């Protein structure tokens, strides 16, 4: 499976979504722009998409109230370890109240992975961030001793998150 992103104005992306009602699309927005996401087993109809392969997923791909994109730059050498850690993750986010879906996306053209989570609302996401499940999911790998606290260089830079809300399609 693949996931494609395109950004633009809300009205422009809404028109694209309305023309492709048979496709799996989610329209989101924040204070800066709108984002249209296409999940597909093949190619996309976006003219200049950001393209990703889905290598881990849980839950549904559906209209969330709130979505978080955790953008994580990973070195070429670090890709296998990063993916291994995700496939063997400790925390089970899918058991959290308000969770809708998770997609871990491998970049096709650059080095920034995206961990995309869909939530019923922002409060559900914030509750997860303050939970023991979150702490467990972000703890040191099993078997790593305190003196080994310096992780291997798998990250190419600092990660950052982008938050989006369900687009108000009734406007």
């Amino acid at each position: 499976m693949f996931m494609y992103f395109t950004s633009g104005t809300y009205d422009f992306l809404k028109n694209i979504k309305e023309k492709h009602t048979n496709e799996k699309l989610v329209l989101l927005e924040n204070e800066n722009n709108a984002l249209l996401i296409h999940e597909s087993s093949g190619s996309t109809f976006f003219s200049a998409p950001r393209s990703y392969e889905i290598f881990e997923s849980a839950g549904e791909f559906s209209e969330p109230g709130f979505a978080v994109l955790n953008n994580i730059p990973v070195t070429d050498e670090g890709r296998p370890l990063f993916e291994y850690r995700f496939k063997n993750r400790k925390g089970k986010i899918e058991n959290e109240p308000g969770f809708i879906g998770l997609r871990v996306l491998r970049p096709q053209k650059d080095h920034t992975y995206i961990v995309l989570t869909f939530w019923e609302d922002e409060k559900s996401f914030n509750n997860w961030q303050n939970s023991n499940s979150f702490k467990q999911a972000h703890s040191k790998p099993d078997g790593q001793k305190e003196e080994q606290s310096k992780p291997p260089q798998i990250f190419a830079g600092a990660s950052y998150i982008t938050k989006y809300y369900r687009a108000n399609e009734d406007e």
Side-chain angles (χ1 to χ4, degrees), residues 62-81:
S62 63
E63 294 290 339
F66 185 68
V68 177
L69 286 79
N70 188 356
N71 302 271
I72 307 170
V74 177
T75 63
D76 288 339
E77 299 81 21
R79 284 178 174 235
L81 181 56

Side-chain angles (χ1 to χ4, degrees), residues 9-154:
T9 65
Y10 170 77
D11 291 332
F12 177 73
L13 297 179
K14 182 180 177 186
N15 287 334
I16 292 173
K17 184 179 179 191
E18 289 172 350
K19 288 178 185 175
H20 300 278
T21 56
N22 293 331
E23 298 289 337
K24 292 172 71 176
L25 298 167
V26 168
L27 179 58
L28 302 165
E29 63 184 337
N30 64 21
E31 63 278 354
N32 298 317
N33 68 352
L35 178 70
L36 188 59
I37 305 172
H38 180 206
E39 186 176 77
S40 173
S41 59
S43 60
T44 188
F45 50 86
F46 294 165
S47 60
R50 292 184 307 279
S51 304
Y52 300 88
E53 181 179 356
I54 300 170
F55 81 85
E56 182 76 10
S57 69
E60 300 297 318
F61 177 75
S62 63
E63 294 290 339
F66 185 68
V68 177
L69 286 79
N70 188 356
N71 302 271
I72 307 170
V74 177
T75 63
D76 288 339
E77 299 81 21
R79 284 178 174 235
L81 181 56
F82 177 81
E83 291 183 15
Y84 173 82
R85 285 181 181 174
F86 249 97
K87 291 237 183 238
N88 296 285
R89 59 194 161 92
K90 295 179 190 175
K92 294 296 181 186
I93 192 171
E94 51 267 47
N95 298 326
E96 294 299 313
F99 171 82
I100 296 173
L102 163 80
R103 300 295 184 270
V104 183
L105 309 174
R106 178 187 298 125
Q108 299 294 291
K109 293 186 180 178
D110 66 16
H111 62 277
T112 301
Y113 282 72
I114 295 179
V115 180
L116 171 63
T117 55
F118 292 139
W119 300 89
E120 289 176 5
D121 52 36
E122 188 171 9
K123 184 176 187 264
S124 297
F125 171 74
N126 290 334
N127 288 343
W128 173 68
Q129 276 194 309
N130 294 315
S131 72
N132 286 332
S133 177
F134 180 87
K135 290 174 190 154
Q136 182 182 13
H138 294 87
S139 65
K140 292 179 184 164
D142 288 337
Q144 186 174 8
K145 297 178 183 173
E146 200 58 42
E147 62 269 10
Q148 295 175 320
S149 62
K150 186 176 180 183
Q153 265 313 343
I154 67 170

